[in-house]
Amino acid sequence: MRIDLSPTSWGRVVVVTAAGTAFFIAAAFFVDSFNFPSLSPQALLWAKLTDLFLPLVLGGSFLFFLMWKMRQLAIAQKELSIVAATDSLTAVFNRGAFSMLVEAYLEQARSHDVADTGALLIVDADHFKSINDRLGHDCGDQALKLIASTIQGQLRGADIVGRIGGEEFAVFLPGADATRSFLVAESIRLRIREAEFAPGGQPWPLSVSIGGIAFRGPTTYHDMFQVADKHLYKAKSNGRDQVSFESPRGLPSADIAGTVH
């Protein structure tokens, strides 16, 4: 079984404390060993006990306290990094963290460390201003939380989602081909249409427009975002509640509108 030695783990505290204490004891015995030949049996026993227990109590206690404090600091730093990268309302990545993660993946793809395929989706809530104006900003916040959780429910482990604007989200699908990427976008759109949003007991329909682009080969976040944003504008202009998607060259692009109930 592998021991967790990460800065936030108890395994690191225990291992460093044990190894450091053993070193202190060994050093005490080594230094004192030059005096052992001249000591009486009783004095020799006392010296060995001192060499064992003094480093064990003092050194072990000091190391444990030091490593415990370092673990607390590591946990605090980790929590701060999560807070700094997370949108406080929806608990998804914020714009800066999302773009940084996408760029990091694309950089790895350029060096062939990961698959050089994937997709970027921009998801924008339709008629969101009317929710804030007619129901209030608290209800608008509830709608954003519901949209964010619905998006997350359609993604796999490697996919990421971020809130990049007031009512605008972005989804990155690393390694996904054009077909799967489009199906994910359409699934997000349908699930949000079906989501139950009834603030104060009053049902209110939700829908989103989605613009997307699938990539195959080297690209940048900026270039993908521009194309996906154009397709989002197209989806909005064509009546909202639909997906407008661009596939890599050689594959057909698609525009699918939602069914009106």
Side-chain angles (χ1 to χ4, degrees):
M1 184 177 66
R2 186 175 180 180
I3 300 176
D4 182 8
L5 296 179
S6 64
T8 59
S9 70
W10 277 109
R12 188 186 185 100
V13 175
V14 172
V15 169
V16 173
T17 300
T21 302
F23 173 79
F24 290 154
I25 292 173
F29 269 91
F30 175 76
V31 172
D32 214 17
S33 64
F34 296 102
N35 298 322
F36 287 168
S38 60
L39 298 178
S40 64
Q42 185 176 2
L44 179 62
L45 176 61
W46 178 254
K48 289 182 177 179
L49 290 175
T50 301
D51 291 341
L52 174 63
F53 287 105
L54 191 62
L56 182 64
V57 173
L58 296 181
S61 299
F62 171 77
L63 280 175
F64 179 81
F65 178 77
L66 178 63
M67 295 307 300
W68 175 59
K69 284 295 184 182
M70 290 180 67
R71 176 179 177 270
Q72 287 184 316
L73 180 61
I75 292 174
Q77 289 177 330
K78 184 177 181 179
E79 291 175 347
L80 284 174
S81 66
I82 293 173
V83 170
T86 304
D87 175 62
S88 59
L89 176 65
T90 60
V92 299
F93 287 114
N94 58 32
R95 185 185 186 104
F98 178 84
S99 61
M100 182 181 66
L101 288 171
V102 175
E103 285 286 15
Y105 182 90
L106 297 176
E107 181 64 32
Q108 286 185 302
R110 285 191 285 271
S111 62
H112 307 292
D113 291 335
V114 296
D116 61 349
T117 58
L120 177 70
L121 310 176
I122 301 179
V123 184
D124 190 84
D126 296 328
H127 305 294
F128 188 76
K129 186 176 184 299
S130 64
I131 298 178
N132 284 331
D133 292 344
R134 297 178 62 180
L135 302 179
H137 288 276
D138 286 343
C139 291
D141 289 348
Q142 292 177 31
L144 289 175
K145 291 179 182 179
L146 179 58
I147 290 172
S149 63
T150 303
I151 292 173
Q152 287 178 302
Q154 307 310 306
L155 305 182
R156 57 181 187 176
D159 304 334
I160 61 173
V161 56
R163 184 184 177 196
I164 59 173
E167 63 271 13
E168 197 169 69
F169 298 85
V171 177
F172 184 63
L173 308 171
D177 60 22
T179 300
R180 178 186 176 273
S181 301
F182 180 79
L183 291 175
V184 169
E186 182 62 6
S187 177
I188 289 171
R189 185 189 69 81
L190 290 173
R191 295 293 84 76
I192 290 175
R193 276 192 66 94
E194 296 167 356
E196 294 184 5
F197 181 60
Q202 177 186 357
W204 189 278
L206 293 177
S207 69
V208 294
S209 300
I210 302 177
I213 176 175
F215 70 91
R216 184 172 57 193
T219 187
T220 66
Y221 175 71
H222 178 264
D223 290 342
M224 284 197 302
F225 190 91
Q226 284 191 316
V227 175
D229 196 47
K230 289 179 181 177
H231 278 276
L232 175 63
Y233 179 78
K234 185 177 180 181
K236 292 283 189 182
S237 300
N238 287 344
R240 296 181 171 84
D241 188 24
Q242 59 184 267
V243 176
S244 181
F245 191 86
E246 182 166 317
S247 299
R249 290 181 180 179
L251 295 175
S253 297
D255 297 293
I256 288 189
T259 302
V260 179
H261 298 284

